[in-house]
């Protein structure tokens, strides 16, 4: 093949005026990337010119019934004189208009022609089938509708159906409960794939279709899907479009064998690198090998070129997500030159923190670029769209860009796990549902109402204007949401400041109350301590006085009796001071000393240190007299009245 696929694609679109890249690729794939065949497919010529341009052998297909309501398509070769007409009749393009979708539905050995609006959903189609075929929606099993992409809300025009596509309808005898279906879809299925003398132990989610598994095997065995011969798959109608959860695989492990088709050994395709005029860019091209045209020198050339195959953007089975991103960035820049996005080097969680989890005024959008080496769109998207200056400026100003290569299944699973952890299972399901032929893709993630979620997915089959338009639309939505979030944050910050000030005032008041309480407690403590000290002193004083009184009482001489004879007795009467009022009276010997009188008074609680002892006539203070003087000498004999006065 003299020119690479990008050039063929550009020439095909320029000649046929088909702007939809996906549709153009479909026609080229159906024509095995033969430009002339593809042009004749969508732009049939009149009579002779058509027969001349399509002079190679062509095939049509008949439907062979193998049971009452299941059909398979088998090839049928027509006589030479009918080839041109049959080729023209089978080269009708797939549905390109959103206005009408024409389908052939096979059910119960009958073919029903169904025409639906391109904007109708799968749910609308099922209701129509219920009316035409009488099979309730809840029991319909449809093959050929697009596999996992054919959800109830999917628009028919988005499923890539060919014109007059054949669908097979079957009425299910037993339907699984919703929770059983959900369990199967969320399970991980282990496939042991044997190829030659190698074995591959692969794990896939239940939502992956058999077609996607076969495309993944291509990256391991280098056998294109059209040359793969399998043994071990369960017998299921529309197997390639069926998700693994519904195929009926053995658990815990299902064994399969794949080998290259022997019928196509004479028509091998070798991958070589075709250098373009731009030294920075190169593309991988499949060159048809007819088996007869290569000489020994040609074989040496192919081996040399194959040894220079482009290095993948990411190694197989990456274990460290951050190191994988760094490797992706370096290899992406090495392949496509310096005029590329500034990819974030770190984990997806770190990229989300850097873009979506900052304060509103500092936030950016997160663009997750998903690459796949087996998609024909990859080189065009990377070199022309991501290399466009407008796109680069838009991404640099508004996005944090995270890149990942989904070519190897293990790396694909690592990304899906990371997305499920960071954004939830719905986001992971969205990424998983993107078919390989729609990759590469740019997934736009933004922060909306306190939730980080996927806003949109821009597939690889777009032009620069569509890509820029999608980015600008996301930026406008994001700017409005960011302004709203910033306003809410300002209001929340204002409320928090008021609350903080109130809390600080309350704390100050609380501290003041606590200080007052502490002072009060301290004063109370000091007062109690003072009372305790005074009480202690009082008790000590009373103890001292009691000791003095007891000592004085012990020293008081015995009182003379009333019938005492032979000795002179002095009768002393003592008037007590107010408020006691009253008097004490005692007899002493006339020879007793003044000290004995003082001891008597002290024993009654009137010590000399507190009271004066005053004689009535003549008035004198006896406490000033010598304590050794006798009562008789002091003229207190035979009787005398004395008074006590407080000092």
């Amino acid at each position: 093949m003299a020119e690479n696929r990008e050039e063929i694609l550009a020439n095909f679109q320029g000649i046929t005026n088909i702007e939809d890249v996906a549709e153009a690729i479909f026609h080229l794939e159906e024509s095995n990337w033969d430009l002339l065949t593809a042009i004749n497919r969508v732009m049939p010529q009149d009579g002779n010119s058509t027969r001349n341009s399509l002079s190679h052998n062509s095939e049509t297909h008949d439907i062979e019934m193998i049971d009452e309501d299941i059909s398979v398509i088998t090839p049928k070769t027509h006589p030479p004189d009918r080839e041109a007409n049959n080729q023209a009749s089978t080269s009708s393009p797939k549905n390109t208009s959103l206005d009408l979708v024409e389908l052939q539905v096979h059910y119960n050995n009958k073919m029903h022609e169904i025409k639906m609006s391109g904007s109708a959903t799968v749910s609308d189609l099922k209701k129509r089938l219920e009316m035409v075929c009488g099979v309730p929606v809840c029991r319909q099993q449809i093959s050929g509708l697009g596999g996992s992409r054919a959800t109830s809300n999917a628009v028919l025009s988005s499923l890539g159906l060919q014109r007059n596509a054949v669908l097979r309808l079957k009425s299910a005898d037993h339907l699984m409960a919703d929770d059983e279906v959900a369990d199967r879809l969320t399970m991980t299925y282990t496939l042991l794939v044997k190829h030659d003398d190698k074995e591959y132990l692969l794990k896939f989610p239940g939502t992956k279709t058999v077609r996607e598994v076969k495309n993944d095997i291509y990256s391991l065995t280098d056998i294109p899907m059209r040359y793969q011969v399998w043994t071990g798959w369960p017998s299921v109608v529309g197997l390639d479009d069926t998700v693994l959860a519904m195929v009926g695989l053995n658990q815990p492990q299902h064994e399969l064998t794949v080998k290259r088709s022997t019928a196509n050994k004479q028509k091998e395709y070798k991958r070589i690198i075709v250098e373009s005029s731009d030294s920075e860019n190169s593309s991988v091209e499949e060159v048809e090998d007819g088996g007869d045209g290569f000489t020994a020198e040609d074989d040496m050339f192919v081996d040399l070129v194959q040894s220079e195959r482009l290095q993948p953007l990411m190694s197989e089975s990456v274990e460290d997500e951050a190191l994988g991103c760094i490797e992706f960035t370096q290899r992406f820049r090495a392949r496509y030159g310096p005029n590329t996005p500034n990819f974030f080097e770190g984990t997806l969680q770190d990229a989300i923190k850097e873009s979506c989890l900052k304060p509103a005024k500092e936030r950016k959008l997160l663009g997750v670029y998903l690459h796949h080496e087996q998609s024909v769109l990859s080189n065009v998207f990377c070199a022309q769209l991501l290399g466009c200056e407008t796109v680069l400026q838009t991404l640099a100003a508004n996005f944090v860009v995270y890149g990942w290569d989904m070519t190897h299944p293990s790396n694909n699973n690592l990304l899906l796990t990371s997305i499920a952890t960071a954004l939830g299972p719905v986001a992971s399901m969205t990424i998983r549902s993107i078919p390989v032929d729609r990759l590469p893709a740019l997934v736009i993630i933004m922060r909306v109402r306190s939730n980080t979620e996927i806003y949109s997915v821009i597939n690889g089959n777009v032009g620069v204007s569509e890509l820029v338009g999608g980015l600008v639309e996301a930026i406008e939505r994001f700017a409005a949401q960011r302004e709203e979030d910033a306003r809410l944050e300002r209001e929340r910050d204002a409320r928090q400041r008021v609350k903080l000030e109130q809390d600080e005032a309350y704390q100050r008041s609380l501290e003041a109350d606590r200080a007052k309480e502490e002072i009060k407690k301290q004063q109370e403590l000091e007062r109690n301590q003072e009372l305790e000290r005074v009480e202690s002193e009082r008790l000590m004083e009373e103890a001292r006085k009691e000791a003095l009184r007891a000592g004085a009482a012990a020293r008081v001489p015995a009182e003379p009796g009333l019938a005492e004879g032979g000795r002179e007795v002095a009768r002393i009467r003592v008037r007590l001071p107010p408020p006691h009022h009253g008097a004490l009276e005692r007899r002493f010997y006339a020879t007793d000393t003044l000290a004995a009188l003082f001891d008597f008074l002290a024993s009654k609680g009137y010590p000399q240190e507190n009271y004066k002892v005053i004689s009535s006539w003549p008035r004198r203070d006896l406490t000033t007299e010598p304590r050794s003087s006798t009562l008789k000498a002091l003229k207190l004999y035979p009787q005398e009245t004395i008074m006590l006065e407080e000092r």
Side-chain angles (χ1 to χ4, degrees):
M1 188 177 292
E3 50 189 354
N4 60 38
R5 291 187 176 183
E6 286 79 7
E7 294 174 349
I8 294 175
L9 177 61
N11 292 334
F12 178 76
Q13 288 184 286
I15 295 172
T16 61
N17 292 323
I18 296 178
E19 297 181 356
D20 190 335
V21 177
E23 181 184 350
I25 292 176
F26 168 78
H27 293 302
L28 289 170
E29 287 283 356
E30 291 295 314
S31 304
N32 204 17
W33 288 89
D34 184 286
L35 181 59
L36 181 59
T37 302
I39 293 173
N40 288 329
R41 175 186 175 86
V42 298
M43 300 177 63
Q45 309 294 321
D46 59 349
N48 296 331
S49 60
T50 301
R51 283 189 291 272
N52 291 335
S53 61
L54 303 176
S55 58
H56 52 79
N57 291 333
S58 62
E59 295 180 346
T60 60
H61 299 82
D62 285 346
I63 297 177
E64 175 186 356
M65 299 302 175
I66 60 176
D67 64 15
E68 63 176 5
D69 58 356
I70 300 176
S71 60
V72 296
I73 299 178
T74 57
K76 178 181 178 182
T77 304
H78 294 270
D81 58 343
R82 297 175 58 192
E83 287 179 357
N85 292 332
N86 286 326
Q87 176 67 28
S89 65
T90 59
S91 63
S92 59
K94 73 173 187 178
N95 291 315
T96 60
S97 172
L98 294 178
D99 296 332
L100 189 62
V101 174
E102 299 178 5
L103 302 171
Q104 299 293 327
V105 180
H106 177 259
Y107 171 67
N108 199 19
N109 291 333
K110 294 182 180 180
M111 191 69 71
H112 302 273
E113 182 177 350
I114 303 293
K115 294 183 180 181
M116 299 286 293
S117 170
S119 60
T121 63
V122 173
S123 178
D124 298 332
L125 174 61
K126 291 183 177 180
K127 294 178 182 178
R128 180 72 174 276
L129 291 176
E130 181 178 5
M131 297 174 58
V132 175
C133 302
V135 180
V137 173
C138 61
R139 306 187 67 84
Q140 293 179 8
Q141 289 185 346
I142 305 175
S143 301
L145 195 56
S148 60
R149 292 181 298 167
T151 60
S152 296
N153 296 327
V155 179
L156 295 179
S157 60
S158 66
L159 300 179
L161 300 172
Q162 293 184 346
R163 179 171 297 169
N164 291 323
V166 178
L167 305 182
R168 289 165 294 281
L169 173 64
K170 184 176 181 180
S171 177
D173 296 329
H174 170 70
L175 292 178
M176 291 183 292
D178 291 343
D179 54 352
E180 183 181 354
V181 175
D183 290 341
R184 288 196 180 190
L185 290 174
T186 55
M187 287 177 59
T188 299
Y189 293 85
T190 303
L191 303 181
L192 179 61
V193 181
K194 298 179 181 180
H195 171 61
D196 294 339
D197 57 347
K198 295 181 180 180
E199 292 185 352
Y200 303 95
L201 191 61
L202 308 175
K203 294 184 178 181
F204 297 98
T207 55
K208 203 172 187 71
T209 64
V210 175
R211 185 186 306 278
E212 293 170 340
V213 172
K214 292 180 178 180
N215 282 328
D216 291 340
I217 293 299
Y218 174 32
S219 64
L220 298 176
T221 63
D222 205 26
I223 303 177
M225 180 178 171
R226 58 182 175 272
Y227 294 147
Q228 294 174 5
V229 177
W230 290 86
T231 55
W233 287 111
S235 179
V236 176
V237 177
L239 175 67
D240 287 350
D241 293 325
T242 306
V243 294
L244 295 181
M246 302 302 172
V247 170
L249 301 177
N250 296 329
Q251 292 290 358
Q253 180 176 291
H254 189 90
E255 294 187 4
L256 299 167
T257 302
V258 61
K259 60 182 180 180
R260 185 182 292 270
S261 173
T262 57
N264 292 300
K265 282 188 176 180
Q266 299 301 319
K267 193 173 183 180
E268 298 282 343
Y269 286 85
K270 298 182 181 293
R271 266 194 180 191
I272 65 173
I273 298 175
V274 180
E275 296 290 342
S276 65
S277 58
D278 184 359
S279 61
E280 298 292 341
N281 299 322
S282 58
S283 60
V284 178
E285 183 60 57
E286 288 187 309
V287 178
E288 183 176 349
D289 179 10
D292 299 329
F294 277 113
T295 63
E297 293 182 357
D298 294 329
D299 291 337
M300 293 175 61
F301 170 74
V302 171
D303 291 340
L304 177 63
V305 175
Q306 283 183 323
S307 66
E308 297 177 356
R309 180 178 298 179
L310 284 175
Q311 187 181 32
L313 293 183
M314 189 175 290
S315 300
E316 185 175 359
S317 300
V318 171
E319 296 182 356
D320 189 297
E321 186 180 348
L323 294 179
C325 288
I326 294 174
E327 180 183 53
F328 177 88
T329 300
Q330 294 173 348
R331 294 185 178 182
F332 192 96
R333 187 172 292 112
R335 178 186 296 186
Y336 297 107
N339 198 29
T340 54
N342 184 22
F343 290 104
F344 181 84
E345 297 182 354
T347 64
L348 178 63
Q349 186 65 50
D350 292 336
I352 292 175
K353 291 179 180 178
E354 184 67 21
S355 57
C356 301
L357 301 184
K358 285 192 170 185
K361 61 182 179 180
E362 301 177 12
R363 286 181 199 158
K364 287 189 174 184
L365 290 161
L366 175 60
V368 179
Y369 170 69
L370 304 177
H371 186 85
H372 204 294
E373 291 290 348
Q374 295 170 11
S375 173
V376 70
L377 302 172
S378 294
N379 283 334
V380 175
F381 192 88
C382 295
Q384 299 182 14
L385 277 72
L386 291 185
C388 175
E389 188 63 29
T390 302
V391 174
L392 290 175
Q393 292 177 0
T394 304
L395 292 176
N398 303 280
F399 285 79
V400 171
V401 184
Y402 176 90
W404 192 265
D405 188 350
M406 303 176 66
T407 304
H408 296 294
S410 58
N411 296 343
N412 186 10
N413 292 335
L414 177 59
L415 176 66
L416 294 176
T417 301
S418 181
I419 289 178
T421 301
L423 302 177
V426 175
S428 178
M429 188 74 73
T430 301
I431 300 299
R432 185 185 291 112
S433 63
I434 302 176
V436 175
D437 58 0
R438 293 295 183 93
L439 293 175
L442 185 64
V443 181
I444 299 177
I445 299 172
M446 69 169 62
R447 185 81 169 171
V448 179
R449 300 184 186 90
S450 301
N451 293 322
T452 303
E453 57 189 30
I454 294 177
Y455 172 72
S456 64
V457 178
I458 302 177
N459 293 311
N461 57 343
V462 298
V464 174
S465 59
E466 290 87 351
L467 175 59
V468 173
L471 296 178
V472 170
E473 178 187 356
I475 291 170
E476 291 176 350
R477 168 68 187 279
F478 175 69
Q481 186 62 46
R482 180 172 59 183
E483 180 61 30
E484 177 65 16
D485 291 345
R487 182 184 65 80
L488 294 177
E489 283 188 0
R490 289 193 298 269
E491 294 177 354
R492 183 171 59 251
D493 292 343
R495 290 194 299 269
Q496 290 178 347
R497 283 195 301 271
V498 172
K499 185 177 181 300
L500 181 60
E501 292 173 357
Q502 292 175 344
D503 290 344
E504 290 177 350
Y506 172 75
Q507 288 296 330
R508 289 194 297 269
S509 175
L510 188 61
E511 291 295 331
D513 292 342
R514 288 177 179 174
K516 291 179 181 179
E517 188 66 23
E518 289 295 329
I519 293 174
K520 184 178 179 180
K521 289 182 179 179
Q522 185 64 27
Q523 291 175 346
E524 185 70 21
L525 178 62
E526 292 177 355
R527 183 166 58 254
N528 292 337
Q529 290 177 346
E530 179 64 19
L531 292 175
E532 290 177 358
R533 183 188 64 78
V534 171
E535 181 65 15
S536 177
E537 290 179 354
R538 185 186 67 79
L539 294 176
M540 291 176 63
E541 181 64 19
E542 289 183 355
R544 184 184 67 81
K545 289 180 179 181
E546 182 62 24
L548 291 175
R549 187 193 64 75
R555 292 191 300 271
V556 174
E559 183 177 7
L562 294 176
E564 185 72 31
R567 295 186 67 179
E568 297 176 334
V569 176
R571 182 170 173 269
I572 305 297
R573 189 171 184 273
V574 182
R575 290 181 180 177
L576 300 178
H580 304 286
H581 304 293
L584 298 174
E585 188 174 326
R586 194 182 191 279
R587 294 185 299 277
F588 292 91
Y589 290 108
T591 57
D592 289 338
T593 62
L594 185 60
L597 177 60
F598 287 164
D599 287 338
F600 168 73
L601 295 175
S603 69
K604 298 300 182 180
Y606 304 101
Q608 184 183 355
E609 61 184 7
N610 295 331
Y611 294 91
K612 295 178 182 181
V613 181
I614 308 298
S615 63
S616 59
W617 188 263
R619 182 181 175 82
R620 55 179 173 169
D621 185 1
L622 296 178
T623 56
T624 61
E625 298 293 334
R627 294 173 62 86
S628 59
S629 299
T630 63
L631 298 179
K632 187 176 182 179
L634 294 174
K635 298 180 179 180
L636 299 178
Y637 170 79
Q639 63 180 12
E640 184 65 36
T641 298
I642 61 176
M643 296 174 293
L644 292 179
E645 291 183 0
E646 290 187 9
R647 290 183 180 275

